[in-house]
Amino acid sequence: MIRLFNTSIAPAAFILLVFETLFLSGALVVATLAVGHLDPVDYLLYNSGWAALLLGVATFLVGMHFQDLYTKIRVTSRMLLLQQLCMVTGMAFLIQGLISYADSDLAIPVRVMLLGSVIATPGIFLWRLVFANFAGRMMLQTRLVMIGRSPTLTELRTWIEDQPDAGLVVEGSAETPGEMGALNEIIKRQLPPRVVFGAWGKPDPQLIHEVLELRLAGYEVETAATAYEKACGRLSLYSLRPEQMIYSNAFTAPPRSFFYRLVLNGLITGICLVVTVPGLIVIALLLRATRLGPVWRG
């Protein structure tokens, strides 16, 4: 897993994100150069064209995120992938229309958007098909060996099996000291894997001794709870102790944060009143003018 902004990202998703960001940017720049009525240098450097193109790329990427194209990387249906990319393109055009209404300087010209979409959509479709076939080699998978027995380890193994695109693979496991012989052969190979240790109840002293030997030998050893949190981005309930909930200060709002929320809520309420009250007055007058009787019935 790759850590970015304190968030774990699967290597395959990171590779896709970087490549598609560059590809979309290139497609829109090529479209800008190909459109005859625009001076590319003047548009990109002096007319906020670069900001408009970056915003356009962002709209495509956000659409792909909402279509789960960065979590479900393996292509199960080419027709479904093409449909998702077409929906992303349509969403990008819709957002461009809203941007054009809000600030025309930040909107990509229609011809540039059309040509850029014609280049980008088939290109990303073909790239996804190629990447899906070779994703296993390109993901730089992190190899794990699991030592011990705990519900958190079982959860982690199940999650890895259900998420083949996460870039994690379990090389082997040992629940008892007797099973450590075969596991040591895996651990001593080149590119040694990460060792994940988990115990439920009182751990076996001999198993702890084996784990300490690996740690002193320089191998990376981490607890099952830590490995689960890094991989899944959440805590395992099995590794959460009661005292962590009872004595945690996570449920106490700091006074400064409470004050800011109070001020923000009041400001939003005031803005909503200013915006809606005139409309309500107009509606009340229209109702009063078009029918007899009171506007409000108790």
Side-chain angles (χ1 to χ4, degrees):
M1 304 294 283
I2 297 173
R3 299 290 291 180
L4 184 65
F5 301 114
N6 204 29
T7 303
S8 297
I9 300 177
F14 182 76
I15 293 171
L16 286 174
L17 178 62
V18 171
F19 177 85
E20 289 168 358
T21 301
L22 296 176
F23 186 79
L24 286 166
S25 302
L28 292 176
V29 169
V30 169
T32 303
L33 297 174
V35 172
H37 73 282
L38 284 177
D39 181 359
V41 176
D42 182 66
Y43 174 70
L44 293 174
L45 298 182
Y46 303 108
N47 288 323
S48 302
W50 61 272
L53 294 188
L54 288 179
L55 194 57
V57 171
T59 57
F60 276 100
L61 295 177
V62 169
M64 296 177 72
H65 168 71
F66 281 110
Q67 288 293 323
D68 291 330
L69 290 174
Y70 291 114
T71 54
K72 300 177 182 178
I73 295 171
R74 298 190 184 275
V75 179
T76 56
S77 170
R78 296 182 181 182
M79 188 60 66
L80 177 61
L81 175 61
L82 184 60
Q83 179 183 358
Q84 288 175 314
L85 292 176
C86 289
M87 292 179 67
V88 169
T89 304
M91 177 181 173
F93 272 94
L94 178 61
I95 295 176
Q96 281 297 310
L98 297 175
I99 294 173
S100 177
Y101 178 78
D103 188 349
S104 59
D105 292 335
L106 292 178
I108 301 175
V110 177
R111 293 184 184 179
V112 175
M113 192 67 180
L114 282 172
L115 183 57
S117 301
V118 168
I119 297 172
T121 302
I124 293 177
F125 176 76
L126 294 175
W127 155 248
R128 286 272 176 163
L129 294 180
V130 172
F131 185 83
N133 291 331
F134 299 98
R137 301 176 185 176
M138 298 175 65
M139 280 192 299
L140 304 176
Q141 288 181 327
T142 301
R143 297 158 54 210
L144 304 177
V145 293
M146 297 182 174
I147 300 177
R149 180 189 303 163
S150 75
T152 304
L153 277 180
T154 304
E155 274 192 317
L156 179 59
R157 181 188 288 273
T158 302
W159 186 87
I160 292 173
E161 292 173 353
D162 293 339
Q163 303 289 334
D165 301 319
L168 298 173
V169 60
V170 179
E171 288 273 317
S173 61
E175 296 184 356
T176 62
E179 299 174 354
M180 285 296 299
L183 195 62
N184 283 329
E185 294 299 322
I186 297 175
I187 296 174
K188 292 177 181 178
R189 293 174 186 169
Q190 291 183 344
L191 297 175
R194 279 164 40 197
V195 179
V196 180
F197 174 70
W200 185 251
K202 186 177 180 180
D204 190 298
Q206 188 175 350
L207 203 59
I208 293 179
H209 176 73
E210 295 282 354
V211 174
L212 286 176
E213 288 292 330
L214 292 172
R215 184 70 183 88
L216 294 174
Y219 291 99
E220 183 181 358
V221 180
E222 60 187 7
T223 64
T226 302
Y228 184 88
E229 184 178 358
K230 286 182 179 180
C232 307
R234 60 180 183 270
L235 292 173
S236 171
L237 294 179
Y238 292 106
S239 61
L240 190 63
R241 296 189 299 273
E243 56 267 24
Q244 290 178 282
M245 298 290 292
I246 297 172
Y247 300 109
S248 174
N249 59 359
F251 303 102
T252 304
R256 182 179 299 178
S257 175
F258 180 78
F259 174 76
Y260 289 154
R261 290 180 183 178
L262 184 63
V263 172
L264 183 61
N265 290 339
L267 183 62
I268 293 174
T269 303
I271 293 174
C272 290
L273 284 174
V274 171
V275 172
T276 58
V277 166
L280 293 175
I281 294 174
V282 171
I283 293 172
L285 292 175
L286 291 174
L287 289 174
R288 189 71 181 87
T290 55
R291 71 176 189 179
L292 299 175
V295 174
W296 179 267
R297 295 181 181 272

